[in-house]
C-alpha cells in the first residue's frame, strides 16, 4: 500500500511513535504491527495547551519557550509503555506552504530538478528561498504529459523550533511532515475497494487557526489550499470556492466522497459538527464521512478510544501508516 500513500516530504520514516504539536494540544500515538493483521493502537496520550503557547505560522516565532512545551511533551511521552527516543513529528499546515508545480520535461539529474523546483516556487514563497527547507514528491501526470510535483516550503528555523521541543522531551524527530498530508494518508490507508475505484475526493481539515482543502485524484494530490481563520468567510464558503475551482479548472465531474477532519474545531463553528456535515453534503451532493469514523472502524480492536479521539490522533496515525502498512 505504501505506493499509494503520499511519501515523506521532509525525512525518511521509521519510528513506531508519532507526535503532533498543534496550537491547542500535544498528542502521541504508538502503533504495533503483525504480519497478518491490521496494525493496532498500542498506546496513546495527549494534553491540552494554553492559548498562545504554540502559535503556528509560516514566519516568525511559533514557540517562544521550547523547553516549556518540551516538558509537556515529555510528560505525554512518559505515559506510553516505553518512552521513545525517536518519533515522527506532525506539524500544523499553517507552518508551511504547499505548492503544485508542473514541468513539460523533467531533468534527468536530481540536482538539476532541485534547482528547477526552487526557481519555480521562489516567487510565491512567503519568505526568502535561501531560508527555506524545500521538499517535494512526484504527483500526477497531466493528460498532455506534463509531470506535476507536490512541493513543501518551510523555514528552517520554524522546523528547528518544533524539533527543539522534541529534543527537550528526550526524543529525536526522525521524520517531519504536515498534518493534512497525513490525514490524506490515513484516509487512503482506510480506503475500501469501492473507494479505490472512485476518482476524485475531497479532504476538509479544520484546525483552530486554519482550514485546509485538499483534492485527491487516485493516489495523487491535485489541489491544496490553506486559509487562516480570519474575519470574513467561513468553512462552507471555502468548500464552495474549492468545489467551483475543481469544476472550472481541474476538469472535475463530482467528488466521490468527502472526508472531514478536525472534530473539536468543527464543533466550535457556527453550524456545529453535525450541521457542517449536513451542509457540506447538500453542497457537494456526496457523502461526507468523518475521518475519526473511518479510523474507529479499522482499529476496532483498540479499546478506550472514541471517534473524537481518533480524529485527534488521525494525522500521527497517518504518518505511521504511510510506509509501514501493506495490504
Amino acid at each position: 500500500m505504501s505506493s499509494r500513500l503520499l511519501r515523506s516530504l521532509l525525512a525518511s520514516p521509521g519510528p513506531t511513535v508519532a507526535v503532533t504539536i498543534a496550537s491547542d494540544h500535544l498528542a502521541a500515538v504508538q502503533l504495533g504491527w503483525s504480519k497478518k493483521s491490521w496494525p493496532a493502537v498500542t498506546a496513546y496520550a495527549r494534553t491540552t495547551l494554553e492559548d498562545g503557547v504554540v502559535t503556528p505560522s509560516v514566519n516568525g516565532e511559533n514557540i517562544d519557550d521550547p523547553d516549556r512545551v518540551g516538558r509537556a511533551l515529555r510528560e505525554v511521552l512518559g505515559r506510553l509503555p516505553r518512552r521513545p527516543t525517536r518519533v515522527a513529528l506532525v506539524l500544523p499546515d499553517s507552518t508551511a506552504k504547499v505548492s503544485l508545480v508542473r514541468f513539460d520535461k523533467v531533468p534527468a539529474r536530481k540536482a538539476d530538478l532541485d534547482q528547477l523546483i526552487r526557481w519555480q516556487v521562489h516567487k510565491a514563497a512567503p519568505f526568502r528561498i535561501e531560508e527555506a527547507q524545500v521538499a517535494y514528491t512526484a504527483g500526477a501526470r497531466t493528460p498532455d504529459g506534463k509531470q506535476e510535483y507536490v512541493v513543501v516550503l518551510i523555514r528552517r528555523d520554524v522546523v528547528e523550533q518544533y524539533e527543539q521541543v522534541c529534543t527537550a522531551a528526550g526524543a529525536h524527530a526522525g521524520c517531519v511532515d504536515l498534518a493534512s498530508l497525513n490525514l490524506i494518508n490515513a484516509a487512503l490507508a482506510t480506503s475500501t475497494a469501492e473507494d479505490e475505484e472512485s476518482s476524485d475526493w475531497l479532504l476538509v481539515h479544520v484546525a483552530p487557526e486554519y482550514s485546509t482543502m485538499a483534492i485527491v485524484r487516485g493516489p495523487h494530490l491535485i489541489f491544496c489550499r490553506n486559509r487562516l481563520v480570519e474575519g470574513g468567510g467561513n468553512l462552507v464558503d471555502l468548500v464552495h470556492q474549492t468545489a467551483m475551482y475543481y469544476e472550472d479548472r481541474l476538469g472535475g465531474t463530482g467528488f466521490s466522497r468527502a472526508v472531514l477532519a478536525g472534530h473539536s474545531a468543527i464543533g466550535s463553528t457556527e453550524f456545529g459538527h453535525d450541521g457542517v456535515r449536513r451542509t457540506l453534503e447538500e453542497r457537494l451532493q456526496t457523502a461526507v464521512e468523518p475521518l475519526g469514523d473511518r479510523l474507529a472502524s479499522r482499529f476496532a480492536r483498540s479499546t478506550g478510544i472514541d471517534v473524537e479521539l481518533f480524529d485527534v490522533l488521525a494525522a500521527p496515525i497517518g504518518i505511521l501508516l504511510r510506509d509501514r502498512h501493506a495490504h
Side-chain angles (χ1 to χ4, degrees):
M1 184 189 65
S2 61
S3 63
R4 297 192 304 108
L5 303 189
L6 298 174
R7 295 190 180 277
S8 174
L9 291 171
L10 300 180
S12 299
T16 60
V17 173
V19 167
T20 183
I21 302 175
S23 64
D24 59 346
H25 71 273
L26 303 172
V29 63
Q30 182 176 45
L31 297 187
W33 279 264
S34 67
K35 294 182 178 180
K36 297 182 179 180
S37 64
W38 180 260
V41 175
T42 57
Y44 65 92
R46 65 169 175 168
T47 190
T48 58
L49 294 174
E50 297 177 2
D51 291 344
V53 173
V54 176
T55 55
S57 67
V58 294
N59 284 304
E61 197 169 64
N62 282 225
I63 305 170
D64 63 351
D65 190 347
D67 287 338
R68 175 186 177 187
V69 183
R71 288 192 295 272
L73 181 58
R74 177 181 288 273
E75 191 274 330
V76 167
L77 296 178
R79 285 188 261 149
L80 304 180
R82 175 179 294 181
R83 184 187 298 275
T85 58
R86 187 165 177 259
V87 298
L89 175 61
V90 177
L91 304 185
D93 295 347
S94 53
T95 60
K97 179 176 176 56
V98 178
S99 300
L100 285 92
V101 299
R102 60 180 59 172
F103 304 115
D104 294 326
K105 185 177 180 181
V106 177
R109 295 176 61 240
K110 184 179 183 302
D112 293 336
L113 178 59
D114 291 348
Q115 184 176 7
L116 182 60
I117 285 178
R118 281 180 170 268
W119 179 84
Q120 185 80 0
V121 300
H122 84 279
K123 290 184 179 180
F127 40 76
R128 295 175 64 246
I129 195 69
E130 292 80 10
E131 301 171 347
Q133 188 163 339
V134 182
Y136 59 87
T137 186
R141 187 172 289 276
T142 63
D144 59 359
K146 296 180 180 179
Q147 177 63 57
E148 200 161 60
Y149 286 87
V150 180
V151 185
V152 172
L153 299 175
I154 186 168
R155 277 176 47 164
R156 292 189 188 93
D157 61 335
V158 169
V159 176
E160 289 168 358
Q161 291 173 50
Y162 289 90
E163 290 176 333
Q164 286 170 14
V165 170
C166 293
T167 300
H172 170 66
C175 174
V176 182
D177 216 333
L178 299 180
S180 282
L181 299 182
N182 289 289
L183 294 174
I184 292 172
N185 285 332
L188 289 173
T190 54
S191 63
T192 64
E194 181 180 353
D195 290 338
E196 293 174 5
E197 293 173 0
S198 304
S199 52
D200 302 342
W201 60 275
L202 174 69
L203 171 73
V204 180
H205 173 208
V206 184
E209 71 281 1
Y210 67 81
S211 296
T212 297
M213 304 291 125
I215 300 173
V216 180
R217 176 168 290 167
H220 299 298
L221 181 70
I222 63 169
F223 174 89
C224 187
R225 176 174 294 168
N226 175 264
R227 177 175 292 179
L228 298 179
V229 176
E230 297 174 342
N234 58 37
L235 176 62
V236 176
D237 291 336
L238 183 57
V239 171
H240 174 77
Q241 294 163 12
T242 301
M244 294 300 295
Y245 184 91
Y246 164 71
E247 295 166 6
D248 296 341
R249 302 291 297 275
L250 298 177
T253 58
F255 295 118
S256 61
R257 67 192 186 282
V259 176
L260 190 59
H263 190 284
S264 60
I266 294 167
S268 66
T269 63
E270 58 183 307
F271 296 99
H273 191 272
D274 291 338
V276 165
R277 183 177 179 181
R278 289 193 299 270
T279 302
L280 296 186
E281 286 181 335
E282 292 173 3
R283 170 59 187 88
L284 298 172
Q285 293 296 296
T286 190
V288 175
E289 183 179 9
L291 182 54
D293 287 356
R294 295 176 70 99
L295 291 171
S297 67
R298 294 304 299 265
F299 286 96
R301 291 182 294 112
S302 302
T303 60
I305 307 180
D306 58 21
V307 169
E308 184 172 353
L309 181 52
F310 266 122
D311 189 87
V312 171
L313 300 177
I317 286 175
I319 200 172
L320 294 175
L321 289 175
R322 181 181 56 210
D323 292 321
R324 291 293 302 270
H325 177 70
H327 286 304

